[in-house]
């Protein structure tokens, strides 16, 4: 895992956007795995800026989102469909037909989930997966104790996640208890993972995922077994890491050929 500590979350977003830009310039028909939440908003803003000002082309891109709530309309202000359109898709030239987000209103959830997996497979697999991290180390909506080989499926949210996501709903409005999420096993099949985490509230989860044991109690820790994961964080999120001096040393001494693009296109 490459750990990149940037002075601010805006700088971190630029670093992550550069990795995606480099992928899209070299592979215009790349398959992106996308995340929601407050964390990737700055990254999406930077991708929109690159699209507008530097011609970054999304016309060949296919996307698969990690997750969605079950049982709220797709135009609900807190739905991940709406989030993705407002924060990225409405501002770049990705074709609507290439966008995939789990359907939280499907009548047959197991079939939908199996089909979602099949669509990822038919698209050639995910080239680059954007990830945030929950306070307890969850990725997507794979809560602690999720199987580390799980596939796309329905999950029940923990009280902690429900409370954390209440801010996206109206005061007093119930947060859905159920979600559809790519599994941990689905996520780690992505060729590259880029995880972002900002703020002191993520420090414990970041330390657990990067330096703790691999355990279903911290599903993100499975990324220690992934070949190409980049963790881009700000200093408050890095506060509980023990080897920050080493991570900074590695990043500032990267060989030239690795400087811009972290990873090869596979
Ligand atoms: C939710 C999402 C995750 C996200 C996490 C953290 O649980 N399903 O994909 O990483 O929240 O969200 P935030 O970035 O708002 O802290």
């Amino acid at each position: 895992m490459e750990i990149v500590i940037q002075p601010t979350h805006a700088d971190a977003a630029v670093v992550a956007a550069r990795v995606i830009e480099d992928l899209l310039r070299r592979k215009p028909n790349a398959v992106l795995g996308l995340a929601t939440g407050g964390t990737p908003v700055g990254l999406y803003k930077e991708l929109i800026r690159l699209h507008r000002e530097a011609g970054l082309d999304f016309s060949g891109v296919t996307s698969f989102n990690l997750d969605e709530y079950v049982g709220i309309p797709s135009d609900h202000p807190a739905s991940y469909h709406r989030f993705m359109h407002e924060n990225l898709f409405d501002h770049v030239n990705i074709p609507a037909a290439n966008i995939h987000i789990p359907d939280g209103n499907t009548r047959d959830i197991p079939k939908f989930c199996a089909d979602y997996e099949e669509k990822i497979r038919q698209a050639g697999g995910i080239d680059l997966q954007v990830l945030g991290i929950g306070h307890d180390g969850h990725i997507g909506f794979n809560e602690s104790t999720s199987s580390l080989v799980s596939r796309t499926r329905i999950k029940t949210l923990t009280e902690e996640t429900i409370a954390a996501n209440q801010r996206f709903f109206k005061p007093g409005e119930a947060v859905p208890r159920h979600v559809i999420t790519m599994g941990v096993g689905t996520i780690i099949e992505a060729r590259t993972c880029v995880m972002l985490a900002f703020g002191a509230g993520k420090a414990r989860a970041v330390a657990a995922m990067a330096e703790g044991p691999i355990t279903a109690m911290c599903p993100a820790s499975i990324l220690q077994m992934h070949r190409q994961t980049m963790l881009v964080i700000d200093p408050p999120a890095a506060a509980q890491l023990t080897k920050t001096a080493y991570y900074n040393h590695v990043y500032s001494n990267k060989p030239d050929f690795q400087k811009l693009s972290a990873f090869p296109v596979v």
Side-chain angles (χ1 to χ4, degrees):
M1 187 181 304
E2 178 178 22
I3 302 182
V4 180
I5 304 166
Q6 289 291 295
T8 68
H9 60 84
D11 298 308
V14 169
V15 168
R18 239 191 279 144
V19 176
I20 295 176
E21 177 186 16
D22 184 66
L23 171 68
L24 298 192
R25 301 242 189 244
R26 288 187 291 146
K27 187 176 182 185
N29 64 342
V31 179
L32 298 180
L34 298 174
T36 53
T39 305
V41 170
L43 163 64
Y44 296 153
K45 280 204 171 87
E46 178 62 10
L47 291 176
I48 293 165
R49 191 192 68 74
L50 289 166
H51 170 66
R52 286 186 180 149
E53 296 175 16
L56 187 62
D57 183 17
F58 288 79
S59 64
V61 169
T62 297
S63 72
F64 288 90
N65 259 81
L66 282 169
D67 47 14
E68 178 58 288
Y69 294 106
V70 167
I72 59 171
S74 62
D75 62 351
H76 186 286
S79 89
Y80 287 173
H81 279 74
R82 180 130 168 213
F83 175 97
M84 287 309 303
H85 282 279
E86 286 180 354
N87 286 285
L88 182 64
F89 297 148
D90 290 352
H91 311 287
V92 297
N93 62 335
I94 184 169
N98 292 8
I99 294 170
H100 304 87
I101 305 175
D103 177 4
N105 292 296
T106 180
R107 287 165 62 179
D108 187 342
I109 290 178
K111 178 172 184 324
F112 178 87
C113 294
D115 289 350
Y116 202 71
E117 290 275 339
E118 180 57 20
K119 282 183 186 155
I120 295 173
R121 205 187 59 75
Q122 281 176 4
I126 292 172
D127 290 300
L128 185 147
Q129 176 69 54
V130 176
L131 292 168
I133 187 168
H135 294 98
D136 57 354
H138 73 252
I139 45 176
F141 269 131
N142 294 283
E143 301 281 25
S144 299
T145 72
S146 286
S147 159
L148 298 180
V149 295
S150 50
R151 311 302 306 189
T152 303
R153 69 212 185 291
I154 189 168
K155 283 292 287 180
T156 305
L157 297 180
T158 62
E159 290 300 329
E160 186 187 16
T161 301
I162 289 169
N165 289 356
Q166 183 74 55
R167 69 189 196 279
F168 296 110
F169 291 77
K170 284 195 211 119
E173 187 183 4
V175 179
R177 267 44 189 161
H178 294 111
V179 293
I180 294 174
T181 182
M182 277 187 206
V184 180
T186 318
I187 292 168
I188 62 165
E189 279 175 12
R191 294 177 187 95
T192 293
C193 291
V194 176
M195 176 180 278
L196 297 167
F198 308 130
K202 299 291 173 72
R204 186 171 56 94
V206 163
M209 74 84 77
E211 295 181 347
I214 296 171
T215 165
M217 288 303 284
C218 176
S221 64
I222 195 63
L223 289 164
Q224 293 174 30
M225 297 289 289
H226 189 269
R227 283 190 305 174
Q228 294 188 156
T229 288
M230 186 180 199
L231 173 62
V232 194
I233 54 182
D234 65 359
Q240 291 187 33
L241 291 169
T242 63
K243 294 198 169 284
T244 45
Y246 176 63
Y247 306 140
N248 290 334
H249 173 75
V250 170
Y251 191 63
S252 54
N253 288 288
K254 275 181 104 167
D256 279 346
F257 77 95
Q258 279 192 325
K259 282 259 158 68
L260 231 194
S261 148
F263 308 118
V265 173
V266 193

